[in-house]
Amino acid sequence: MATKKLVMVGNGMAGVRALEHLLKLAPDAYEITIFGAEPYPNYNRIMLSSVLAGGADIQEIVINDWDWYKENRIQLYAGHMVTRIDTKNRVVYSDQGAEAKYDVLIMATGSNPFMLPLPGADKEGVIAFRDIKDCEMMMETSKKHKKAVVIGGGLLGLEAARGLLHLGMDVSVVHIHPYLMERQLDETASRMLQRELEAQGMTFLLSKHSESIMGRKRVKELRFTDGTRVDADLIVMAVGIRPNVALAKSAGIEVNRGIVVNDYMETNIPGIYAVGECAEHRGIAYGLVAPLYEQGAVLAKRLAGVDTAGYAGSVTSTKLKVSGVDVFSAGHFAEPEGTRALRYQDEVEGVYKKIVIHDDRLVGAVLFGDTGDGSKLFSLMKSRESVKGREKELLLGFAVGAGASVSPEERLASLPDDEIICGCNGVTKETIKDAILNKNCTTVSSVKACTKASGSCGGCKPLVEGLVQLYAGDVAGEPVKEGICGCTTLNRDEIVAEISRMGLKSIKEVMNVLGWNNPEGCSKCRPSLNYYLGMLFPESYKDEKESRFTNERYHGNIQKDGTYSVVPRIYGGVTSPSELKKIAEVAEKFDVPMVKITGGQRIDLLGVKKEDLPKMWEELDMPSGYAYGKALRTVKTCVGSTFCRFGTQDSIGMGIRLEKELERLSTPAKVKLAVSGCPRNCAEATIKDFGVVAIDGGWELHVGGNGGVHVRATELLCVVKTEDEVVEWASAFIQYYREHAQWNERTSVWIERVGLDSVKKALEKKKDREALHARLKLALSTQKDPWKEILSDKELRKNFEPLPNAEPVKN
Ligand SMILES: Cc1cc2nc3c(=O)[nH]c(=O)nc-3n(C[C@H](O)[C@H](O)[C@H](O)COP(=O)(O)OP(=O)(O)OC[C@H]3O[C@@H](n4cnc5c(N)ncnc54)[C@H](O)[C@@H]3O)c2cc1C
Ligand SMILES: NC(=O)c1ccc[n+]([C@@H]2O[C@H](COP(=O)([O-])OP(=O)(O)OC[C@H]3O[C@@H](n4cnc5c(N)ncnc54)[C@H](O)[C@@H]3O)[C@@H](O)[C@H]2O)c1
Ligand code: SF4
Ligand code: FES
């Protein structure tokens, strides 16, 4: 029998997924031709949100590349829009003049974004968010324009808004309802979401009815029916979608809202099927991939002649793909009549949960802030099993109460095998476990390749990662890769690379997006992330004080009795009688139990009560010496040529200059400098992080020394002639260390790890040194003296007030 001809109109996610199934079930049954109006191979539309938000490149979202079509002997007409179907003679025609005969025709034309028919909607700068072209347009626009307005506060609108924020635009979201995502959330969850998104920088215009779009050629403003307006250089409409049925309708196929299909995806015309967003099944046209993939599986079986019970419709669940925010919604979340709802709300932790029950069965859920139990609840909802007596457990789940001690591994291990892990692709825990244990898939990408789990929206990636961690160690006998701490498997370089690639802007966002298995982080990763974010984004990152150690929060070294020390900065260790008098007076006034000269040539006032700190700083009126911080500490100097008969250069002047250039700089670990005026090296420069030793006609620059527990002598970096060169090399070296070392790694350990040669190579070209120096200056330009900052801020000052009956803090 001759092979049948199968033509598919539409090269999108649902149609191609159906063909993938078909090719597995009956590889040689059809000669396949696909027409796709977009000029690309099949790609993951869902991931356009990630592309916009900087999480992926367009090339990365291709699902099946050009070769896949060749390998499967599929004739693809990309960039061809089918404009006519002759159902009598069974031929389709494209706008480019191509035609194809069919025995079987699949309509997989998806949806069109709904464009509000406002006056001015045809102006330049008014677009939808549906395809690669829209995505590229937004990225281009953000380079030249600043103000973006998104109409529609649903899933798509908020994901578009997040992407536009990432692109540096000011973003206002216009929503017709009084609260966001009303199709997925109740008002409480929606308000919590709004607060979180406002904190990320979005502005919301709620209960607004758009009236007209103004501007000459290009959009300039959006006006509302209440007489108000908002400036706009770009308007993105995200107000819903409409199944794309025009072609089917013109061919005489029955359409309602979508193309009407039965349980086998058959239309009213024999031989013609529909699948995906364009199809309407039992009155519903779906707009999420999970149900569309279920439809595709049924269609493939039908076409392959494999028995199937047919498609019976789907319960859907959604997750918003906005980093830093966890939102899950499923089923009848809005408490329809006859249902009862149970709620749990923790405003401090930003967690809200609601489950909706009907006839002892779970029929809906909304989760905000902690969506860890989403897939479990969704499975229960689909299974329709009785949840009588388990309501409290479902609501409180693992997040609080008895479950609080359950680790993420235990939580994953306890999931039943038939639990759906990847909602988009309907992949169960059992399938993933099988891939890991029996098919040698020991990474997330190999699990994705094998099972498709995590290949669509990516929302299940942390779960897949968790399962890989849980089972891969056993199968391979290999140690599971170690991360910077127990909360992640990522190392320092991977984290820094991902933060810069994805433009992640807060500790919470990093943990969320990079799948931290402990959502709170720990005392190791939180300060590390705080440092990396500050180093990468010196201008925009707001230091998270709570993620610093006590010493850095109170700008003093905490002592063993809970008191603090105060060390003012004394540049190069050079002071004056009046400064000494002032220090002495303050020490007397505040009864400072001990005044000590430190090894770094500073004066340490020890034993100060926390509540006295601000007053002492005020009276001292000197900059903080940062003796407590991961920062530039001291620059020790010898007297040098000014007084010493051996001195060849002005070591004091050089030291003071370096200290003034570098003070307040935050670094991975403490950094100490010293300058000696001759090779006798009285300032002990060769056990410092950066040591400068004067020689005849120049300076030797030494790096990577340490005088602490692991004593290490410096290695010679280079010899330079002028003071300017000393500053340039010191700045470049320290910035390079800032950009490449692990948090809490001293230069001595770092140099041993990376090797002096690699550092020399990175610094050998003047232009590279200048670029590093410029980045260091930028970082410094954002720093203020912390003591002064606290003195001028009443709220910050309050942190130093004694607690009633407070015990001294113990370290
Ligand atoms: C930015 C964004 C994010 C999303 N995020 C999620 C998410 O997180 N989770 C989720 O479940 N869903 C999400 N969705 C929805 C999901 O992408 C769609 O449900 C899914 O892509 C629909 O697949 P489809 O094949 O039915 O339609 P489409 O993917 O739209 O494919 C239809 C294709 O047919 C082509 N076509 C139409 N008419 C013709 C013609 N006459 N001739 C030739 N070709 C034609 C179109 O150009 C299109 O390429 C998102 C959508 C967008 C836009
Ligand atoms: N994470 C996800 O699952 C995800 C992400 C993006 C898109 N999608 C899917 O893509 C499709 C399109 O998404 P969508 O958000 O555009 O559709 P939607 O229908 O879910 O939401 C549209 C929103 O726009 C609002 N709206 C309607 N008219 C308006 C007006 N005149 N002014 C202001 N607001 C108005 C509605 O109240 C609604 O909340 C949907 O099927 C959606 O499920 C899913
Ligand atoms: S290093 Fe010692 S010997 Fe040389 S100038 Fe300084 S104090 Fe004098
Ligand atoms: S849940 Fe979307 S890819 Fe798995």
Side-chain angles (χ1 to χ4, degrees):
M1 200 175 78
T3 319
K4 282 190 182 170
K5 291 185 189 320
L6 186 156
V7 171
M8 186 160 83
V9 187
N11 188 28
M13 297 184 73
V16 174
R17 174 55 75 90
L19 292 187
E20 284 178 332
H21 279 295
L22 179 61
L23 286 165
K24 278 197 192 126
L25 294 172
D28 303 316
Y30 295 93
E31 199 182 295
I32 302 173
T33 302
I34 303 179
F35 288 86
E38 295 183 68
Y40 314 101
N42 171 239
Y43 69 89
N44 189 337
R45 197 172 299 288
I46 296 178
M47 294 289 284
L48 289 176
S49 302
S50 311
V51 171
L52 204 62
D57 285 337
I58 293 213
Q59 299 86 297
E60 289 173 59
I61 68 170
V62 169
I63 304 175
N64 291 302
D65 60 14
W66 303 110
D67 289 341
W68 178 83
Y69 295 86
K70 276 192 212 135
E71 282 156 17
N72 289 289
R73 299 186 309 279
I74 296 172
Q75 166 79 56
L76 171 66
Y77 289 103
H80 283 244
M81 164 87 84
V82 172
T83 47
R84 189 161 79 85
I85 305 171
D86 177 347
T87 53
K88 202 162 151 256
N89 296 306
R90 298 195 165 201
V91 188
V92 303
Y93 300 90
S94 89
D95 59 349
Q96 311 286 319
E99 57 179 77
K101 273 186 144 309
Y102 68 83
D103 301 301
V104 167
L105 178 68
I106 301 175
M107 301 296 291
T109 49
S111 293
N112 288 321
F114 178 61
M115 299 300 281
L116 294 172
L118 303 176
D122 54 351
K123 289 197 192 305
E124 211 176 282
V126 182
I127 59 168
F129 182 23
R130 179 74 194 174
D131 53 29
I132 289 184
K133 166 179 64 46
D134 298 327
C135 209
E136 286 175 338
M137 171 72 89
M138 284 188 247
M139 294 196 274
E140 269 313 298
T141 306
S142 70
K143 290 183 194 152
K144 296 187 215 122
H145 299 283
K146 193 79 191 145
K147 292 190 168 27
V149 171
V150 176
I151 309 182
L155 289 161
L156 185 66
L158 296 180
E159 289 181 13
R162 184 62 187 85
L164 291 164
L165 270 187
H166 166 78
L167 294 171
M169 299 192 82
D170 296 337
V171 185
S172 305
V173 177
V174 174
H175 194 50
I176 200 159
H177 283 271
Y179 62 89
L180 301 168
M181 275 178 64
E182 81 290 345
R183 300 187 56 185
Q184 291 84 15
L185 302 180
D186 62 10
E187 187 165 355
T188 310
S190 172
R191 296 276 176 235
M192 290 172 92
L193 169 68
Q194 182 181 341
R195 274 204 297 276
E196 197 72 48
L197 294 175
E198 279 169 346
Q200 291 195 6
M202 280 181 217
T203 304
F204 292 100
L205 302 167
L206 301 176
S207 303
K208 289 282 183 191
H209 295 252
S210 302
E211 186 179 57
S212 56
I213 294 172
M214 311 304 288
R216 278 169 165 269
K217 205 164 151 229
R218 185 177 186 89
V219 49
K220 226 174 160 335
E221 68 177 44
L222 174 66
R223 290 191 180 167
F224 304 109
T225 51
D226 61 5
T228 56
R229 45 167 294 281
V230 60
D231 288 341
D233 305 315
L234 171 75
I235 293 183
V236 180
M237 290 206 196
V239 291
I241 50 175
R242 302 285 181 269
N244 188 355
V245 297
L247 176 69
K249 196 173 176 188
S250 69
I253 304 169
E254 185 189 348
V255 304
N256 187 24
R257 182 177 154 81
I259 302 171
V260 180
V261 292
N262 64 13
D263 288 359
Y264 302 99
M265 312 317 291
E266 294 162 339
T267 69
N268 63 317
I269 300 188
I272 303 187
Y273 301 77
V275 69
E277 281 186 349
C278 65
E280 177 181 318
H281 173 263
R282 299 189 190 174
I284 303 176
Y286 294 91
L288 293 165
V289 289
L292 311 183
Y293 284 173
E294 288 178 42
Q295 295 177 353
V298 170
L299 173 60
K301 283 189 179 160
R302 190 68 168 176
L303 294 177
V306 174
D307 260 1
T308 162
Y311 176 64
S314 306
V315 187
T316 56
S317 71
T318 47
K319 263 188 167 186
L320 181 69
K321 305 193 299 296
V322 166
S323 59
V325 201
D326 285 326
V327 188
F328 170 87
S329 161
H332 300 285
F333 69 93
E335 306 162 50
E337 247 188 62
T339 60
R340 71 192 164 98
L342 281 89
R343 297 180 179 76
Y344 165 79
Q345 188 167 0
D346 178 348
E347 283 280 357
V348 179
E349 294 293 325
V351 172
Y352 173 72
K353 299 179 169 201
K354 178 169 89 173
I355 56 170
V356 183
I357 291 174
H358 179 248
D359 272 352
D360 294 333
R361 284 173 177 78
L362 183 66
V363 294
V366 171
L367 304 177
F368 181 89
D370 175 6
T371 53
D373 292 339
S375 60
K376 202 177 173 104
L377 292 175
F378 189 50
S379 288
L380 276 177
M381 214 176 286
K382 289 199 288 185
S383 72
R384 299 198 41 76
E385 70 189 75
S386 169
V387 295
K388 198 164 180 199
R390 294 168 58 199
E391 293 91 337
K392 203 168 159 193
E393 179 208 336
L394 299 189
L395 184 67
L396 302 184
F398 298 100
V400 290
S405 57
V406 176
S407 71
E409 293 79 31
E410 284 168 324
R411 187 194 285 209
L412 275 174
S414 74
L415 290 178
D417 275 356
D418 60 356
E419 185 82 27
I420 297 271
I421 299 294
C422 174
C424 289
N425 297 287
V427 188
T428 59
K429 177 182 166 190
E430 189 173 21
T431 310
I432 296 173
K433 193 167 139 187
D434 176 59
I436 299 168
L437 294 175
N438 304 321
K439 296 179 183 147
N440 202 22
C441 300
T442 50
T443 61
V444 174
S445 43
S446 56
V447 171
K448 178 164 100 182
C450 186
T451 67
K452 297 231 178 256
S454 83
S456 301
C457 74
C460 58
K461 202 170 159 203
L463 290 178
V464 177
E465 260 163 10
L467 288 172
V468 168
Q469 238 181 324
L470 193 64
Y471 298 116
D474 294 351
V475 73
E478 293 164 0
V480 174
K481 190 175 137 247
E482 279 212 15
I484 56 167
C485 64
C487 307
T488 176
T489 53
L490 299 175
N491 64 30
R492 180 262 177 216
D493 290 353
E494 287 166 335
I495 293 168
V496 170
E498 287 297 290
I499 294 176
S500 26
R501 189 173 72 83
M502 297 163 96
L504 305 177
K505 290 285 175 340
S506 69
I507 293 179
K508 194 167 175 207
E509 194 180 356
V510 174
M511 291 178 173
N512 245 304
V513 174
L514 302 185
W516 244 240
N517 55 38
N518 169 11
E520 296 310 313
C522 67
S523 60
K524 192 159 180 211
C525 61
R526 289 195 75 94
S528 311
L529 294 180
N530 193 46
Y531 171 74
Y532 299 140
L533 285 159
M535 179 269 289
L536 289 166
F537 309 114
E539 287 173 299
S540 58
Y541 179 66
K542 193 163 176 312
D543 191 80
E544 201 182 295
K545 300 263 182 296
E546 319 78 73
S547 293
R548 288 187 175 267
F549 289 159
T550 312
N551 286 350
E552 294 192 321
R553 288 212 297 274
Y554 293 109
H555 301 283
N557 266 323
I558 190 162
Q559 306 297 316
K560 66 186 212 180
D561 62 355
T563 60
Y564 287 80
S565 67
V566 168
V567 184
R569 191 167 287 288
I570 297 179
Y571 299 96
V574 178
T575 182
S576 65
S578 63
E579 213 172 40
L580 286 173
K581 256 193 220 158
K582 189 162 62 176
I583 294 172
E585 277 162 15
V586 169
E588 274 191 347
K589 181 167 176 186
F590 288 90
D591 257 343
V592 170
M594 181 174 282
V595 179
K596 165 139 191 5
I597 307 290
T598 72
Q601 304 177 335
R602 304 300 129 105
I603 295 175
D604 199 347
L605 307 176
L606 289 150
V608 180
K609 291 195 261 335
K610 187 170 89 180
E611 57 268 32
D612 283 341
L613 288 170
K615 283 175 272 165
M616 276 185 69
W617 297 335
E618 193 159 30
E619 301 218 1
L620 277 172
D621 192 24
M622 289 170 77
S624 164
Y626 278 81
Y628 46 80
K630 299 194 185 309
L632 173 83
R633 294 279 179 96
T634 54
V635 183
K636 188 172 176 178
T637 62
C638 73
V639 292
S641 59
T642 324
F643 288 98
C644 178
R645 59 203 167 95
F646 299 110
T648 59
Q649 311 278 354
D650 176 12
S651 53
I652 291 180
M654 185 71 253
I656 292 176
R657 184 171 165 194
L658 280 171
E659 190 157 352
K660 290 200 164 161
E661 291 269 352
L662 300 169
E663 68 173 317
R664 295 197 285 267
L665 187 67
S666 118
T667 41
K670 60 185 168 189
V671 168
K672 297 180 177 181
L673 271 66
V675 186
S676 291
C678 82
R680 285 176 178 78
N681 192 15
C682 300
E684 297 158 344
T686 47
I687 49 161
K688 300 294 178 197
D689 296 277
F690 194 90
V692 182
V693 178
I695 50 171
D696 261 344
W699 306 87
E700 280 176 2
L701 306 182
H702 299 259
V703 293
N706 194 326
V709 184
H710 304 290
V711 181
R712 182 179 195 268
T714 48
E715 293 179 78
L716 182 65
L717 178 68
C718 63
V719 177
V720 298
K721 289 208 172 89
T722 67
E723 289 190 7
D724 286 351
E725 285 175 296
V726 174
V727 171
E728 182 184 300
W729 277 86
S731 305
F733 170 79
I734 293 173
Q735 180 64 14
Y736 189 69
Y737 161 63
R738 292 184 78 233
E739 292 177 4
H740 291 85
Q742 289 165 14
W743 175 79
N744 209 15
E745 187 178 36
R746 290 291 301 266
T747 57
S748 50
V749 181
W750 171 65
I751 288 260
E752 293 224 328
R753 182 166 65 83
V754 299
L756 181 67
D757 286 348
S758 74
V759 178
K760 277 186 173 170
K761 197 160 176 15
L763 304 185
E764 72 190 1
K765 294 201 184 91
K766 186 166 173 59
K767 79 170 180 3
D768 293 339
R769 292 196 300 276
E770 282 170 352
L772 284 161
H773 193 175
R775 292 205 287 281
L776 178 132
K777 278 190 181 153
L778 179 74
L780 280 169
S781 69
T782 61
Q783 299 300 308
K784 295 192 193 104
D785 188 89
W787 290 357
K788 288 218 162 60
E789 212 174 359
I790 291 164
L791 291 176
S792 62
D793 187 325
K794 267 198 204 134
E795 283 307 306
L796 290 178
R797 245 182 128 134
K798 276 192 192 150
N799 293 335
F800 294 82
E801 287 169 6
L803 296 170
N805 305 321
E807 291 270 327
V809 190
K810 291 274 188 294
N811 204 0

